[in-house]
Amino acid sequence: MQIELRILRFDPERDQKPHEESYKVEASPMDRVLDLLHKVKYEQDGTLTFRRSCAHGVCGSDAMLINGRNRLACKIRVDQLKGKRITVAPLPGLPVTKDLVVDMDSFFAKFRSVQPYLQPGDPDPERERRQAAEDRAKFDDTTKCILCAACTTSCPSFWAQPSYVGPAAIVNAHRFIFDSRDDAAEARLEILADSDGVWRCRTIFNCTDACPRGIHITQAILEVSSKIVEHHA
Amino acid sequence: MLFRYRGSEGMLAWAFHRISGVAIWAFILLHVLDIWLANVNYKLYNDLLSLYGSPGGRVLETALGAAVLYHALNGVRIIVMDFWPAMTRYHKQLWYANWVLFTVVGLVFAIQIMAPAFGLQAPFSFGG
């Protein structure tokens, strides 16, 4: 079948503002949007610019706004989108570098700000740090994040206030705050108790809906909020 | 982006919460004004109250009741999720449960407010 792919394009060297361009491509229902973008790039317009790496939903580099919702181009199939017209645009809320490529520096700066690495308080043991299965289960969900930014850039609180640390950073803080082997939870909770921290969440659930890994992001954010309240009580 | 992003139930619940919040705030401004009139010009105050009792005024009053009811019910939904984060997994079900309650309770209020506009007796009498 033939699909009309409407792509929001922007070349900073040529365009004043982004504009939509339409491409007709032959597709099968099992093709992914990434396959269609490849067809456009390889067969119709080599200047089309987008990020992709593993192409299998693991690296998180091809998150974009597809039919009005943030998704990974390599995970969403044509048959799942229902219809013969597909719109593709860059992730909302981040500066566009070119076409579907956004500048993710601020996103990764926020990720780094929550100290997303293990900080054990005790000296290094001779063997691995052991952890009970039930302790591991507390943060199992938030270990799945691939930093694609689909969640943060789907959040209206982030659109309104770009200084908001955002769902992805909170998810990655959650992963260590609830890790029994870590000893820096208090520092992270202080960072997230800031006015640009967890309190900007308005339980809108766009982040949870957008996450290609199915992480219960809003639950993680509210668990961190509760922990901050507990910490300050 | 706010109007172009296709959010699901969670985004709609939030948008309605904000819209109903602004509507309630606008009514409170009006209410402060009419209560102020009771002291400075009671005749105008009485005229305004009779406007509230007109069919058009009753439609607006019903809309206000709907805004207050939705805002209250969704507020409880948010509180439930704040206290028990695991309930976020059922946020859609909670929202649909809100609509069931909204319909049942809202209908009673709507009939009570709108009945006189159709020349009918309101189901509950408050001694008026």
Side-chain angles (χ1 to χ4, degrees):
Chain A
M1 61 175 165
Q2 196 173 60
I3 294 285
E4 184 191 3
L5 205 57
R6 298 181 73 91
I7 305 174
L8 196 67
R9 302 205 53 184
F10 175 66
D11 181 348
E13 291 177 359
R14 203 184 56 195
D15 304 323
Q16 293 291 318
K17 56 181 186 176
H19 63 282
E20 223 172 47
E21 280 185 30
S22 174
Y23 303 90
K24 291 210 168 27
V25 284
E26 275 304 316
S28 84
M30 297 304 280
D31 276 341
R32 304 157 307 162
V33 172
L34 181 64
D35 298 321
L36 307 191
L37 290 171
H38 278 153
K39 279 183 188 174
V40 171
K41 187 169 176 69
Y42 299 155
E43 297 165 15
Q44 299 187 37
D45 187 347
T47 65
L48 177 66
T49 308
F50 54 90
R51 284 196 186 103
R52 57 101 176 83
S53 184
C54 78
H56 288 82
V58 180
C59 73
S61 42
D62 64 351
M64 48 190 82
L65 187 72
I66 300 169
N67 275 8
R69 202 176 265 202
N70 285 357
R71 318 173 204 240
L72 290 186
C74 62
K75 276 195 83 177
I76 189 82
R77 296 191 313 266
V78 169
D79 66 330
Q80 292 172 308
L81 291 170
K82 297 178 180 75
K84 297 202 166 171
R85 180 188 283 182
I86 297 171
T87 62
V88 184
L91 288 175
L94 290 175
V96 178
T97 307
K98 190 182 177 191
D99 293 341
L100 302 173
V101 175
V102 290
D103 181 353
M104 294 182 67
D105 283 356
S106 61
F107 172 79
F108 286 116
K110 284 170 190 165
F111 166 67
R112 286 192 295 271
S113 76
V114 299
Q115 305 176 7
Y117 39 84
L118 192 76
Q119 299 177 62
D122 51 346
D124 289 349
E126 277 183 32
R127 291 173 61 88
E128 74 273 19
R129 289 189 168 81
R130 303 191 69 171
Q131 186 169 49
E134 56 269 26
D135 284 336
R136 175 65 174 73
K138 287 177 188 165
F139 61 93
D140 185 65
D141 200 33
T142 46
T143 60
K144 299 174 194 162
C145 179
I146 54 174
L147 292 170
C148 65
C151 58
T152 296
T153 58
S154 72
C155 176
S157 298
F158 170 72
W159 302 335
Q161 186 53 266
S163 58
Y164 171 36
V165 69
I170 301 171
V171 159
N172 283 281
H174 179 285
R175 185 255 169 271
F176 291 100
I177 288 167
F178 290 88
D179 190 331
S180 59
R181 300 163 298 181
D182 186 88
D183 204 36
E186 282 187 21
R188 294 192 193 90
L189 292 174
E190 281 304 320
I191 293 164
L192 292 173
D194 184 77
S195 60
D196 284 324
V198 288
W199 311 119
R200 287 209 181 274
C201 173
R202 297 289 181 268
T203 52
I204 300 168
F205 289 94
N206 277 5
C207 55
T208 306
D209 292 337
C211 180
R213 305 304 306 272
I215 301 172
H216 296 281
I217 300 176
T218 314
Q219 180 178 346
I221 295 173
L222 294 179
E223 282 174 357
V224 173
S225 309
S226 301
K227 197 80 177 168
I228 290 172
V229 172
E230 226 173 78
H231 177 62
H232 284 270
Chain B
M1 186 41 60
L2 200 56
F3 297 103
R4 280 188 290 140
Y5 196 88
R6 288 190 197 167
S8 60
E9 287 90 339
M11 192 176 181
L12 279 177
W14 165 77
F16 290 169
H17 197 78
R18 288 299 167 105
I19 293 164
S20 58
V22 171
I24 295 164
W25 171 80
F27 170 73
I28 287 172
L29 284 188
L30 182 68
H31 187 52
V32 168
L33 182 76
D34 64 34
I35 291 295
W36 171 73
L37 276 181
N39 265 329
V40 297
N41 188 338
Y42 72 91
K43 193 178 171 315
L44 194 59
Y45 172 74
N46 283 341
D47 290 346
L48 190 67
L49 282 203
S50 62
L51 192 70
Y52 288 169
S54 69
R58 285 177 186 277
V59 170
L60 288 176
E61 219 164 64
T62 307
L64 172 69
V68 170
L69 188 57
Y70 176 82
H71 202 79
L73 289 171
N74 194 54
V76 172
R77 170 179 166 269
I78 294 168
I79 291 169
V80 165
M81 295 188 295
D82 274 344
F83 278 94
W84 296 281
M87 289 300 286
T88 52
R89 298 189 181 214
Y90 306 100
H91 77 96
K92 291 181 184 177
Q93 289 89 333
L94 285 172
W95 196 55
Y96 290 125
N98 269 357
W99 282 117
V100 171
L101 275 172
F102 176 87
T103 309
V104 173
V105 179
L107 262 181
V108 175
F109 275 91
I111 292 168
Q112 176 72 21
I113 296 169
M114 289 305 299
F118 295 97
L120 301 168
Q121 181 78 33
F124 302 103
S125 168
F126 296 98

